[in-house]
Amino acid sequence: MTAKITMPLKVREQQHVSVFLSGAVQGIGFRPFVFRLAQELGLTGFVRNSTNGVIIEAEGSPQKVAAFLKRIPEEKPPLSFIQNYQYTLLDPIGFSNFVIRESDEGSLKSAVVPPDIATCPECLAEILDPQNRRYLYPFTNCTQCGPRFSIVEALPYDRVNTSMKKFRMCPDCAEEYNNPDDRRFHAQPNACPKCGPHLELWDAKGKVIATRREAVSQAVDNIKKGKIAAVKGIGGFHLFADAHNEKSVQLLRKRKHREEKPFALMFPTLKSIEAQCRVSPQERALLLSGESPIVLLIKKRKIGRLKAVANSVAPGNPSLGAMLPYSPLHHILMKELGRAVVATSANLAEEPICADEKEALQRLGGIADVFLVHDRPIVRSIDDSVVRVVMNRPLVIRRARGYAPLPVTVRTEGPSVLAVGGHLKNTVALNVKGNVFICQHIGDLQTEQSLQAFRRAAMNLQGLYATSPAYIACDMHPDYLSTKFAKDSKLPLIKVQHHHAHIVSCMAENRLDGTVLGISWDGTGYGPDGTVWGGEFLKSTLTDYERVAHLKSFMLPGGDKAAMEPRRVAAAILYELAEGDWKEFKDLAPIKSFTSKERKVIKDMMCKKVNAPVTTSMGRLFDAVASLMDIKQVLRFEGQAAMGLEYILEGARTDSAYDYAVDRNPDGGYILNWTTTVQGIIKDVRKKMAAPKISAKFHNTLVEMALDIAKRVGEKRIVLSGGCFQNK
């Protein structure tokens, strides 16, 4: 929010204005900008960082002070944003000049820490200029780019509070840092080859093979020979492999225990991405942005004589996850490689990204052949963000580097609350004075390493903002490790229903209050009735909800195992249709995929209602349909079946949909009955209808269901949230 400048100011020869700004105003050149603007206008006074934002005291003529106040929001650095802009007009006190003062170490810390920002064009030009003293220097940065959240240890954002504090600037760097006319004026991570971090190449046992530029050259040689390199970047290690070398990619899959889940790719240039993928203007803007995320793009069917990336990069997937180099080190590596590489998070399956070189040797010793490391400590590990464009708007699939820890602003401040997230795709958030700071993506809490990363993130966020929360919020599920962490904290506990949290988060992001109809469709969420929810219509406010409709329930034989075996879900739905007898469905793929012994075990589970929880999950309905169509019977990664249903839609065109029923719930509200929907799908499968058309009809049916309930409930504002809505 930007305050209006009201004129005229009180008429006197000199005017003193005291200004406070909050938002993303630290670490992106805001103080140097204010300094230069004040110098241009001939004002005196000072600017300094505080733990809450930026404070300015300035004196000059009323006309110049008015121009100063007007130009700050109009000309602010492009990476900054102002949430709060307050000023007070005071009597002058007689400053002699304008200076940048030492930062204020206040008590409550609520300043917005900037995310890590991709290399700017000016720094890149220097890196590629043989005459520049930073030629091929992999830690080049300025006030407009470079590491931020990954290196900051405390607020305010000053060098002494970052992991760069151990590197003392040389005279040349210090001159830049102190020169108001220089792009690196008060650039906290400023460094050069003389005084900054440097590279080393290690073998798998940690022995130094090469240093500095030679380390890069040898790393490139290893990758070109088909070997796998662990590369320490801004927020952690990547595993690099030649994306055009099928053997190399397959080797990486085998070592990483990642059988089919797509790998992300780093391309040397935008042109090289456009040669392999279809790129819209919105997707191009994302690729070139300061956030520089992985962007999900559709592969071109024909690429001429150009060598395509290996099929095993994204098996059976029409998309590629593509990104451009976003750090100086990546630019240097990709320039020498001249080809696309797999650039996947350096970890074993389900573990968090590795950030420390000694830890990397232990955890990645069986994966990487060589390690390209550096001596700038990573304070917190951060994965790459993942984004796709839907309806010409960016949809963030994974919120990490480039986005975290930017806050969502809520209308009411209230007490500080630490929110510890769910079990899958975990992240942590902290509310400080109306700003909800959201940490980087942590991942699934399924391993000891991921649990440790979760605990570090929760503690780190509180430490960064020097805030002791008054409450802790958690998912209602009693067995989630994040819920157990919340209970052990001894703080007053706020338990939140999973799907209501989905809806309220979307409301907060879009600045909605009052009542909405929330449609929350996902794989799993603990319901207050003890069942597994996931196909929910919730009439919601920010504090409460009413369950007005849901999907007809079905069983999950094997419990969690059913989430990775769509055939089990299909078997359960067929069990309901046939009232316990599968004979009429023995020709269908899911039933055929089981042995007779397996069929008996699954039938016994459902008959005796043992290890067969009841669910209303839309995500599992997707799985069942994919199984009936024989797209996937057993998953290699979460969401694979639903992705398969989406992918085969390419080029499908039909307005047809399947029948469904809306039943009245005896407890109130409606039940979306999928019985005739599944019967129609079975009929089309048996007729050997083209799979894209069956998938299109199924998707159309879900749209009709959503519209039907929305009309019955009558709320004008509809909020869509949950994993199913990542489906394009």
Side-chain angles (χ1 to χ4, degrees), residues 679-691:
Q679 287 170 339
I681 291 169
I682 293 169
K683 185 178 178 181
D684 284 348
V685 166
R686 283 173 168 162
K687 287 195 316 187
K688 301 194 183 323
M689 180 180 283

Side-chain angles (χ1 to χ4, degrees), residues 664-711:
R664 292 296 311 208
N665 190 337
D667 298 326
Y670 305 98
I671 296 174
L672 279 169
N673 191 327
W674 40 257
T675 300
T676 53
T677 304
V678 173
Q679 287 170 339
I681 291 169
I682 293 169
K683 185 178 178 181
D684 284 348
V685 166
R686 283 173 168 162
K687 287 195 316 187
K688 301 194 183 323
M689 180 180 283
K693 187 171 183 181
I694 297 175
S695 180
K697 287 176 68 176
F698 173 63
H699 281 82
N700 289 347
T701 307
L702 301 186
V703 175
E704 296 295 339
M705 287 177 170
L707 285 168
D708 193 329
I709 297 299
K711 289 173 183 176

Side-chain angles (χ1 to χ4, degrees), residues 568-595:
R568 287 175 177 259
V569 188
I573 281 178
L574 295 174
Y575 178 90
E576 296 237 355
L577 289 182
E579 299 180 347
D581 188 355
W582 281 326
K583 286 181 182 177
E584 64 178 284
F585 300 126
K586 62 183 180 181
D587 61 314
L588 297 178
I591 304 303
K592 287 163 67 176
S593 73
F594 292 112
T595 65

Side-chain angles (χ1 to χ4, degrees), residues 73-94:
E74 291 178 349
E75 301 175 18
K76 62 183 175 59
L79 296 173
S80 67
F81 68 83
I82 298 173
Q83 287 180 317
N84 190 19
Y85 183 17
Q86 302 172 8
Y87 63 87
T88 306
L89 299 172
L90 306 168
D91 290 333
I93 58 176

Side-chain angles (χ1 to χ4, degrees), residues 343-604:
T344 186
S345 300
N347 53 12
L348 286 170
E350 313 306 333
E351 289 186 359
I353 188 172
C354 202
D356 176 80
E357 47 269 30
K358 290 187 171 58
E359 182 189 3
L361 281 177
Q362 294 176 338
R363 287 175 52 194
L364 308 175
I367 304 177
D369 298 300
V370 291
F371 293 75
L372 186 60
V373 303
H374 59 75
D375 57 345
R376 181 176 68 200
I378 295 172
V379 174
R380 58 188 60 77
S381 57
I382 305 176
D383 270 302
D384 297 311
S385 294
V386 181
V387 181
R388 75 187 306 190
V389 172
V390 179
M391 299 292 287
N392 296 320
R393 292 176 59 184
L395 175 68
V396 178
I397 305 294
R398 184 169 75 192
R399 189 181 188 275
R401 178 188 51 75
Y403 296 92
L406 294 178
V408 171
T409 304
V410 292
R411 293 178 185 273
T412 53
E413 290 191 6
S416 181
V417 179
L418 177 69
V420 295
H423 182 66
L424 301 178
K425 304 174 185 67
N426 180 274
T427 191
V428 177
L430 180 68
N431 175 34
V432 183
K433 295 183 69 175
N435 273 337
V436 181
F437 296 102
I438 305 170
C439 85
Q440 70 277 21
H441 162 88
I442 295 165
D444 300 348
L445 303 185
Q446 294 179 340
T447 65
E448 183 57 34
Q449 288 88 349
S450 60
L451 188 58
Q452 289 174 7
F454 158 75
R455 291 189 184 116
R456 282 196 302 269
M459 296 297 106
N460 192 287
L461 212 54
Q462 294 172 73
L464 184 61
Y465 291 100
T467 298
S468 297
Y471 298 90
I472 190 165
C474 66
D475 194 285
M476 198 176 277
H477 198 301
D479 297 328
Y480 281 179
L481 295 179
S482 53
T483 301
K484 292 178 180 179
F485 173 88
K487 289 177 180 176
D488 292 343
S489 74
K490 308 302 181 186
L491 287 168
L493 198 62
I494 302 171
K495 292 184 179 181
V496 184
Q497 201 283 321
H498 185 91
H499 299 95
H500 186 225
H502 268 304
I503 300 309
V504 171
S505 66
C506 190
M507 291 174 70
E509 198 171 34
N510 290 279
R511 303 287 184 94
L512 300 178
D513 50 21
T515 304
V516 303
L517 174 62
I519 304 178
S520 184
W521 290 352
D522 64 4
T524 180
Y526 184 82
D529 59 359
T531 65
V532 180
W533 288 13
E536 311 307 314
F537 294 77
L538 307 179
K539 192 172 181 178
S540 298
T541 66
L542 291 172
T543 56
D544 204 1
Y545 69 92
E546 176 190 359
R547 192 188 193 195
V548 293
H550 61 79
L551 203 62
K552 173 180 161 65
S553 63
F554 49 90
M555 286 185 278
L556 294 175
D560 289 343
K561 198 168 184 180
M564 295 305 290
E565 291 190 26
R567 60 184 184 166
R568 287 175 177 259
V569 188
I573 281 178
L574 295 174
Y575 178 90
E576 296 237 355
L577 289 182
E579 299 180 347
D581 188 355
W582 281 326
K583 286 181 182 177
E584 64 178 284
F585 300 126
K586 62 183 180 181
D587 61 314
L588 297 178
I591 304 303
K592 287 163 67 176
S593 73
F594 292 112
T595 65
S596 57
K597 184 178 179 181
E598 288 171 333
R599 283 195 290 271
K600 183 179 185 308
V601 170
I602 289 170
K603 188 176 284 189
D604 284 348

Side-chain angles (χ1 to χ4, degrees), residues 166-196:
K166 72 174 190 173
F167 300 100
R168 185 175 180 177
M169 279 185 275
C170 67
D172 289 338
C173 286
E175 184 180 345
E176 293 170 332
Y177 183 88
N178 292 303
N179 181 359
D181 296 322
D182 197 283
R183 198 174 81 254
R184 295 188 171 89
F185 183 46
H186 278 252
Q188 303 306 328
N190 191 27
C192 76
K194 289 181 184 177
C195 61

